[in-house]
């Protein structure tokens, strides 16, 4: 069961993500089609699922969006499982990289700027984001 806040909104616990990682490993191990897939052979499905997510957003249909986000997440896990098997990286590496990137790109939330407690405008946040991206491009893999 997902935790809820005081207003009754529920939030993901993350347990299902770990369970799905194990499921993906089993499917790769036990299914000849899934085990034969490569990053290149799956590229078309990644494009298709991305397009279907965009369609669901355009339709403003939460149930359809939920389904399509699941299909897109499947593609992410599929690629991570392939990379894990090849010894390239793991899903943990993907998440760690994404977490570090979000912390770098959101100094108003995670950096020294956050200590002030002030609310940043949308324009200021976009400027901070752009500056962080520019710094990353100037000094990749730091």
């Amino acid at each position: 069961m997902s935790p809820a806040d005081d207003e009754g909104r529920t939030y993901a616990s993350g347990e299902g993500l770990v369970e799905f990682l194990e499921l993906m490993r089993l499917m790769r191990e036990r299914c000849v089609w899934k085990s034969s897939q490569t990053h290149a052979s799956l590229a078309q499905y990644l494009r298709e699922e991305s397009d279907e997510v965009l369609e669901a957003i355009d339709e403003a249909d939460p149930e359809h969006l939920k389904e399509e986000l699941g299909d897109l997440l499947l593609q992410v896990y599929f690629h991570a499982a392939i990379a894990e098997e090849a010894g390239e990286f793991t899903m943990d590496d993907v998440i760690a990289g994404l977490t570090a990137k979000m912390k770098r790109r959101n100094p108003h939330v995670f950096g020294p700027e956050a200590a002030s407690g002030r609310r940043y405008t949308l324009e200021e946040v976009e400027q901070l984001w752009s500056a962080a991206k520019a710094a990353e491009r100037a000094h990749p893999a730091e």
Side-chain angles (χ1 to χ4, degrees):
M1 179 106 180
S2 297
D5 67 9
D6 293 339
E7 296 176 20
R9 292 177 295 217
T10 58
Y11 297 92
S13 66
E15 293 173 14
L17 297 172
V18 174
E19 181 181 354
F20 192 77
L21 184 58
E22 288 300 316
L23 185 82
M24 194 72 237
R25 288 177 182 141
L26 279 174
M27 289 189 294
R28 288 276 298 167
E29 180 183 310
R30 297 179 183 173
C31 174
V32 66
W33 186 87
K34 287 175 182 62
S35 65
S36 68
Q37 297 308 302
T38 65
H39 294 301
S41 69
L42 290 171
Q44 70 184 21
Y45 303 111
L46 182 57
R47 280 187 202 95
E48 289 171 11
E49 297 305 345
S50 296
D51 288 343
E52 290 173 7
V53 166
L54 295 172
E55 286 175 17
I57 290 170
D58 288 344
E59 294 170 0
D61 180 345
E63 284 300 312
H64 187 200
L65 180 58
K66 179 175 68 173
E67 178 185 348
E68 296 306 337
L69 286 173
D71 292 346
L72 184 59
L73 189 58
L74 167 63
Q75 295 303 309
V76 172
Y77 271 76
F78 217 144
H79 286 277
I82 291 168
E84 181 180 74
E85 291 165 11
E88 298 166 341
F89 58 84
T90 68
M91 187 61 142
D92 287 344
D93 298 326
V94 172
I95 302 231
L98 179 59
T99 299
K101 181 190 291 185
M102 290 300 99
K103 287 179 178 179
R104 282 191 315 271
R105 291 190 181 177
N106 291 279
H108 61 292
V109 177
F110 302 106
E113 292 88 344
S116 71
R118 88 171 176 85
R119 302 276 300 172
Y120 286 76
T121 67
L122 180 59
E123 290 154 347
E124 289 172 320
V125 170
E126 289 172 349
Q127 288 171 353
L128 288 169
W129 183 273
S130 295
K133 281 185 75 169
E136 290 171 9
R137 281 191 214 104
H139 305 335
E142 280 189 4

